[in-house]
Amino acid sequence: MGGLRPSRKSTQPRLQEANDADAENVEHCSSSETPSSSTVVESTTTETLQRDAWTARGKLLLQFHDAISRAINSPEMKQKCSEVASYMSTKEEPEESSPVNHEYDAEATLIVQNKHKRDNDVRDKAVAVGFCTFALLRGVPIVRNVVARRMASASRYKFEASSSQQQLNVSRTTMQKSTHQPTSGSPNRLRKFLRLTLDVTISAAMTVLSGTFLFTPRPSAYIEDMSKLPLVEGKSVYAEVVCPPLLNEYKRTMEQYGGRWPVMTRGVEGSSSSSSSSSPAATVATTANSPSLTQEDVSLNIIRKFAENCSKRIKYERAILEEQNALDEQKQKKLGTVLIPRPVPEDVKVNIDEDVFVLVDDDAAKDGSACIEG
């Protein structure tokens, strides 16, 4: 009986080996969980930086929109626009029109052309949606009737009845047609008319709704049209009223982000900072490496193009004044008030990131105006 009882000396090494194995398993599991937790932390940090960058760009876009809207809604802008509008309404009577308003003719014409082009684009898309809706509503019943006829003809060839039954069915069908034909014609016509009216109503509603909500131009489309106005010949109200506060805001943004534009331009990171600090500039630059541009990025680049065109206007007006020997220390002219004989050429070299610090005068920027200086 004593040989069957296990000894304590033999069981202790086995327990020790089991404990060592459990400890190794615990260490292995903890070591395997460490990389996954670090990956989660890295992904969370990336998402946080990306969200902060989007927030920074959104705030930057709101600041530019606020500067542009305040300039457009200013009393000076309203007065200028009312004068130009009154001239455009009496354009057929040159003896009553003012020569001052005639100098803004090119800009007013471009505004009207841009509006007509945008309205026609929206109208064409909305009408196309209405026609497609009407064709779909009218085409579904027709297709359904064609399919039903083909199925009926196929079943007729599969299941042929006897000649007597066919004759009996034909006679019954003829009697039913002769009996119900006078009374069933009017309801069928009324049903068809109601269906046609319903289809036309739905198609018209889709046309109106798509033109009002679906194809409404984005605010960036209006700013893009506005950005071309400083390049027109003659004088420019937008160059005179909108460009100074826009350039002032652009200069403030460049100073905030260390002299570099914080958004990718044309899918290439050429202006974003690459520092690893926690500043807003570094946060915006974190997501500038992404291959796709967000709607905020597109809008900000359009505003940047607007500032470039304002800078082109300044340089071109300065060149004209230098040719006329009218640029001296005693005589300065406000931006947009110089009458240029032709539109601003495209080959005017501009580096807006550097020129904005030279072209914008701090004293004039505080007053909301910009003078062409030597």
Side-chain angles (χ1 to χ4, degrees):
M1 298 297 292
L4 298 175
R5 186 178 300 172
S7 61
R8 296 181 179 178
K9 294 181 180 181
S10 62
T11 56
Q12 289 179 355
R14 295 178 181 176
L15 292 174
Q16 186 66 28
E17 293 177 357
N19 292 333
D20 295 340
D22 293 338
E24 291 178 358
N25 291 332
V26 171
E27 291 178 358
H28 178 70
C29 292
S30 62
S31 63
S32 62
E33 290 177 357
T34 302
S36 62
S37 61
S38 63
T39 304
V40 172
V41 172
E42 290 177 358
S43 62
T44 305
T45 305
T46 304
E47 292 177 357
T48 303
L49 292 175
Q50 189 175 16
R51 184 167 57 252
D52 294 340
W54 290 343
T55 304
R57 288 201 296 270
K59 292 180 179 179
L60 185 61
L61 183 60
L62 289 177
Q63 292 174 0
F64 276 108
H65 281 179
D66 182 64
I68 294 174
S69 63
R70 281 190 285 106
I72 293 176
N73 297 322
S74 63
E76 182 182 4
M77 186 69 173
K78 292 180 180 179
Q79 181 182 0
K80 291 283 186 180
C81 290
S82 62
E83 293 176 358
V84 175
S86 62
Y87 162 71
M88 293 296 290
S89 61
T90 60
K91 190 175 180 180
E92 297 180 356
E93 301 176 359
E95 66 276 6
E96 297 182 1
S97 61
S98 173
V100 177
N101 294 332
H102 180 70
E103 296 171 351
Y104 298 96
D105 190 12
E107 187 178 39
T109 303
L110 182 59
I111 292 174
V112 174
Q113 291 177 356
N114 290 335
K115 185 179 183 302
H116 286 173
K117 181 180 179 181
R118 190 166 51 246
D119 294 343
N120 293 336
D121 189 18
V122 173
R123 182 195 60 193
D124 294 342
K125 292 180 180 178
V127 171
V129 170
F131 274 116
C132 292
T133 304
F134 183 77
L136 181 63
L137 294 175
R138 301 302 297 174
V140 170
I142 295 175
V143 174
R144 188 184 304 169
N145 293 334
V146 171
V147 173
R149 290 176 182 175
R150 290 184 178 180
M151 292 178 64
S153 61
S155 61
R156 184 185 305 169
Y157 287 111
K158 289 182 180 179
F159 305 100
E160 292 184 355
S162 60
S163 59
S164 60
Q165 292 179 353
Q166 289 181 356
Q167 292 178 358
L168 181 60
N169 292 333
V170 170
S171 61
R172 288 179 180 178
T173 304
T174 305
M175 292 176 62
Q176 289 178 358
K177 287 183 178 180
S178 62
T179 305
H180 299 286
Q181 187 173 2
T183 59
S184 61
S186 179
N188 289 334
R189 292 180 180 178
L190 180 61
R191 190 180 298 110
K192 292 180 179 179
F193 177 76
L194 291 177
R195 287 180 180 177
L196 179 61
T197 304
L198 181 61
D199 294 342
V200 171
T201 303
I202 294 175
S203 302
M206 289 297 297
T207 302
V208 175
L209 292 176
S210 61
T212 305
F213 300 102
L214 185 60
F215 300 117
T216 301
R218 296 179 178 270
S220 58
Y222 295 98
I223 297 179
E224 186 175 7
D225 293 339
M226 199 185 305
S227 65
K228 303 174 183 178
L229 297 177
L231 303 178
V232 297
E233 62 182 0
K235 295 183 179 181
S236 173
V237 177
Y238 279 81
E240 181 181 352
V241 181
V242 182
C243 281
L246 175 62
L247 292 174
N248 185 26
E249 185 66 27
Y250 191 90
K251 180 180 179 181
R252 189 193 63 79
T253 301
M254 297 301 293
E255 292 174 349
Q256 179 183 358
Y257 290 98
R260 302 177 69 87
W261 183 244
V263 182
M264 285 192 306
T265 56
R266 299 179 182 177
V268 179
E269 183 189 4
S271 304
S272 59
S273 176
S274 59
S275 61
S276 58
S277 61
S278 58
S279 62
T283 305
V284 173
T286 302
T287 58
N289 295 321
S290 59
S292 59
L293 296 177
T294 62
Q295 188 62 36
E296 290 79 7
D297 297 337
V298 175
S299 299
L300 287 172
N301 287 332
I302 292 175
I303 293 175
R304 185 173 186 267
K305 185 65 177 178
F306 195 175
E308 288 181 355
N309 292 339
C310 292
S311 179
K312 287 183 178 181
R313 178 86 185 195
I314 293 176
K315 288 190 172 183
Y316 194 63
E317 288 186 357
R318 178 181 295 178
I320 291 176
L321 291 178
E322 288 178 352
E323 290 179 359
Q324 297 175 354
N325 296 323
L327 186 62
D328 52 13
E329 296 180 357
Q330 285 77 21
K331 186 176 182 180
Q332 294 180 351
K333 288 195 174 182
K334 192 177 180 181
L335 172 62
T337 60
V338 178
L339 184 64
I340 60 177
R342 57 184 180 276
V344 179
E346 293 291 336
D347 57 352
V348 177
K349 295 182 180 180
V350 172
N351 187 358
I352 185 61
D353 296 342
E354 297 178 359
D355 295 342
V356 70
F357 295 99
V358 180
L359 298 176
V360 178
D361 186 12
D362 294 335
D363 297 333
K366 292 179 182 179
D367 299 335
S369 61
C371 295
I372 307 171
E373 301 175 345

